[in-house]
Amino acid sequence: MNKKWFRIGMVSVFILSVALRFWGLERFNTLVFDELYFAKFGNNYLTHTPFFNAHPPLSQYIIGIGIWIGSHIPFWHDTVNGLTGSLRSPWTYRWLNALTGSFIPLVVAAIAYQLSYRRSFAMLAGLFTACDGIFLVESRYALSNIYIVIFGLLGHWFFLLALDNQNRRRSFWLVFAGITFGASVGTKWNGLWFLSGAYLVWIAAWVIHLIHSFPNPKLFFTPPSSPSSPSSQTPLQNLTQLNIFQMLFYLGIIPAFIYSIIWIPHLQLDKRYGFIAVHQEILKFHLHLGGNSPNVHPYCAAWYKWPLMTRPMAYYYQTAKSITEPLPVMGPPLPPGAGKVIYDVHAMGNPFLWWFGVAAMLFLVGMLGSQVVIFLVKEKRFSLPATLSVDTWIALYLVINYIANLLPWVEVTRCAFIYHYMCAVVFVFLAIAWFVDQCLRSYYQQLRALGVTITFIILVAFIFWMPIYLGLPLSPDDYKLRMWFNSWI
């Protein structure tokens, strides 16, 4: 793929993302799902109303900024409500999330390109991310998960850019990586897993380097004497140029500093708790949320239900007697049988994108394992190849980051939901994009056909399930047609 077509493709992906996120943004003149908290909290900062926040406050600051800007724009105020505590148009508390979410496919594409310098891989990664449902849904409402993901992904992109540069330029990008990783944690605590993924990849690179260099332990603190050239096939080959002191400063002290200063405006507003006390209260809140059981919340879903998407959740569900009736925004749905039109906003991924992605991730795990086994058999001892291929580095990066963002949830006992998987599933999108790219670039016609088929199925699935992402009116039969399993309802 040449540069011209790559740019056209990425602009098209961005336009698609913007159009889908902004179209009908005011459709439901109410608070959808956790807008009940986040939109209200964002407005509270504008009205100087103290409140307890069960999460770090960065996303609510941003939502509040969006409300303030949106309130000063002289259009898109056809519908208003007072549910945030002030008379606001739904557009004012949703537009900045929609704009932010539109950039996520571009950031994912940037990471893919930085990993491999392959435009086709980057294009597929951006396209597949734009064709996911839960990212579309989360971007259309005043919710916080979009900000965890985009800051965490920006941290990884800046980290890769740092590895691709030297000296001052490297330090420049490492500072930005530290800032954005800190911002991700400053949105929700699970943003920390993005940062841990960067550390784990760095540790893995040093383990590989030390296996080759054993038994000289000084190499752990000293970068290799002959640094990789700027034309390295992947920046990941330069990971061992970073020593432990650089990691602790740029990806330790800086994120901690950013996280700390994020709290200052909130603590000045709510003076009941200091910095330590507010964290104790937040921890207490989450520990008392109850276990992963439908008795706690009907949409509770433990971590092992996320990869295969066995328990998505409805953010909004209402029925009407006809499509010409005003959109229902309050009260329970009509009695069974009375509602002829269903409005459902489902926090649900693109099923085939997620399922194919999990298969691709397992393929990468198998690829890494098979390489170790092959060299073990050849050398009659534990051994690794002297130089890892680009695709091996990419596989290592994707698998480690996926595990880093999923595995911590194994020990979480509170009620969790499908949206907690968003930080991990972006690496699934990268995995399936890598796999399809390999197929499309293959000499074998069957593999090229497989890549085209997978892409086609993902695109068709996105269109098929789009009505429940956008909350479009559906007949009961059309709604049931999209609810393939009872656990999806």
Side-chain angles (χ1 to χ4, degrees):
M1 179 181 289
N2 62 39
K3 188 179 293 185
K4 176 185 174 182
W5 284 109
F6 176 65
R7 287 175 176 172
I8 292 172
M10 292 314 304
V11 169
S12 301
V13 166
F14 182 66
I15 292 172
L16 172 68
S17 297
V18 171
L20 289 176
R21 281 157 176 78
F22 276 91
W23 181 53
L25 199 59
E26 294 180 292
R27 179 170 291 118
F28 303 114
N29 185 21
T30 186
L31 298 178
V32 172
F33 187 53
D34 277 351
E35 285 186 327
L36 180 65
Y37 305 107
F38 297 117
K40 280 186 177 181
F41 293 170
N43 191 68
N44 284 348
Y45 288 120
L46 299 178
T47 60
H48 305 287
T49 304
F51 65 98
F52 172 73
N53 195 340
H55 295 288
L58 181 57
S59 64
Q60 289 98 89
Y61 295 162
I62 297 172
I63 292 169
I65 292 169
I67 292 173
W68 185 84
I69 295 173
S71 299
H72 288 80
I73 295 176
F75 40 85
W76 290 312
H77 296 282
D78 298 333
T79 58
V80 295
N81 65 66
L83 299 174
T84 62
S86 302
L87 200 61
R88 307 288 189 190
S89 162
W91 189 89
T92 62
Y93 51 80
R94 292 174 183 164
W95 76 271
L96 193 50
N97 271 53
L99 181 62
T100 303
S102 300
F103 282 97
I104 289 180
L106 299 188
V107 179
V108 172
I111 290 173
Y113 181 77
Q114 204 61 38
L115 284 171
S116 63
Y117 307 117
R118 292 201 294 260
R119 297 188 188 102
S120 53
F121 175 29
M123 181 68 217
L124 287 166
L127 176 64
F128 289 164
T129 305
C131 290
D132 183 64
I134 198 167
F135 278 84
L136 176 57
V137 171
E138 286 276 337
S139 299
R140 287 173 55 83
Y141 300 98
L143 306 172
S144 65
N145 296 302
I146 286 300
Y147 297 105
I148 313 172
V149 174
I150 196 164
F151 286 130
L153 291 177
L154 283 172
H156 274 277
W157 183 39
F158 294 148
F159 183 59
L160 291 171
L161 286 170
L163 293 174
D164 204 24
N165 287 276
Q166 300 288 339
N167 304 322
R168 289 185 179 180
R169 284 177 175 264
R170 171 168 290 175
S171 298
F172 174 83
W173 289 117
L174 283 173
V175 167
F176 272 92
I179 290 171
T180 47
F181 279 134
S184 184
V185 184
T187 304
K188 279 187 178 180
W189 285 348
N190 54 299
L192 182 63
W193 311 141
F194 280 113
L195 179 57
S196 68
Y199 268 96
L200 289 173
V201 170
W202 174 75
I203 290 170
W206 269 107
V207 168
I208 293 168
H209 176 69
L210 290 172
I211 288 173
H212 293 150
S213 307
F214 189 81
N216 186 0
K218 293 182 180 179
L219 289 171
F220 187 72
F221 296 94
T222 308
S225 56
S226 55
S228 302
S229 66
S231 61
S232 295
Q233 293 174 297
T234 174
L236 297 174
Q237 294 167 337
N238 300 333
L239 277 163
T240 51
Q241 292 178 19
L242 297 178
N243 61 46
I244 191 169
F245 303 111
Q246 290 173 301
M247 292 293 291
L248 289 177
F249 176 74
Y250 291 111
L251 300 187
I253 293 174
I254 290 179
F257 173 73
I258 294 299
Y259 176 81
S260 300
I261 64 174
I262 282 170
W263 277 97
I264 292 174
H266 180 82
L267 296 178
Q268 288 181 332
L269 177 66
D270 185 3
K271 299 183 183 297
R272 291 176 297 170
Y273 307 107
F275 183 76
I276 302 299
V278 75
H279 284 78
Q280 292 172 337
E281 291 298 316
I282 291 175
L283 182 60
K284 188 187 303 181
F285 171 85
H286 289 289
L287 290 175
H288 288 84
L289 276 180
N292 263 315
S293 165
N295 297 326
V296 176
H297 191 287
Y299 285 111
C300 280
W303 66 274
Y304 54 84
K305 296 182 179 180
W306 302 340
L308 296 181
M309 205 178 68
T310 59
R311 191 56 174 153
M313 65 189 300
Y315 279 2
Y316 176 91
Y317 182 90
Q318 286 289 348
T319 55
K321 291 183 179 179
S322 72
I323 199 171
T324 59
E325 281 189 351
L327 288 175
V329 293
M330 300 294 289
L334 295 173
K340 303 299 182 184
V341 178
I342 294 173
Y343 296 89
D344 176 42
V345 176
H346 232 65
M348 168 177 159
N350 180 330
F352 286 97
L353 174 59
W354 285 33
W355 296 336
F356 288 152
V358 168
M361 188 63 71
L362 292 174
F363 178 87
L364 292 178
V365 172
M367 186 179 83
L368 293 173
S370 65
Q371 291 194 12
V372 173
V373 170
I374 288 170
F375 278 92
L376 182 65
V377 171
K378 281 185 176 180
E379 301 292 332
K380 307 295 185 183
R381 60 184 177 84
F382 181 75
S383 177
L384 292 171
T387 56
L388 301 184
S389 70
V390 173
D391 290 316
T392 301
W393 276 113
I394 293 173
L396 195 65
Y397 173 85
L398 296 181
V399 170
I400 287 176
N401 276 285
Y402 179 70
I403 292 172
N405 280 277
L406 179 62
L407 202 59
W409 291 100
V410 174
E411 293 298 320
V412 173
T413 57
R414 58 149 282 185
C415 179
F417 302 98
I418 187 72
Y419 59 74
H420 288 122
Y421 186 54
M422 290 175 65
C423 298
V425 79
V426 286
F427 297 100
V428 167
F429 301 161
L430 284 161
I432 186 59
W434 174 87
F435 181 83
V436 170
D437 182 50
Q438 295 293 314
C439 290
L440 295 178
R441 296 189 306 115
S442 172
Y443 290 108
Y444 297 101
Q445 184 178 356
Q446 295 90 336
L447 286 179
R448 294 198 300 272
L450 176 62
V452 171
T453 302
I454 290 173
T455 303
F456 178 76
I457 291 173
I458 289 171
L459 294 175
V460 170
F462 181 59
I463 295 169
F464 178 73
W465 273 284
M466 193 180 295
I468 62 171
Y469 303 145
L470 300 179
L472 301 179
L474 289 171
S475 69
D477 288 339
D478 287 336
Y479 174 74
K480 290 178 182 177
L481 187 64
R482 288 162 175 81
M483 297 291 108
W484 284 11
F485 308 100
N486 290 334
S487 63
W488 282 10
I489 299 174

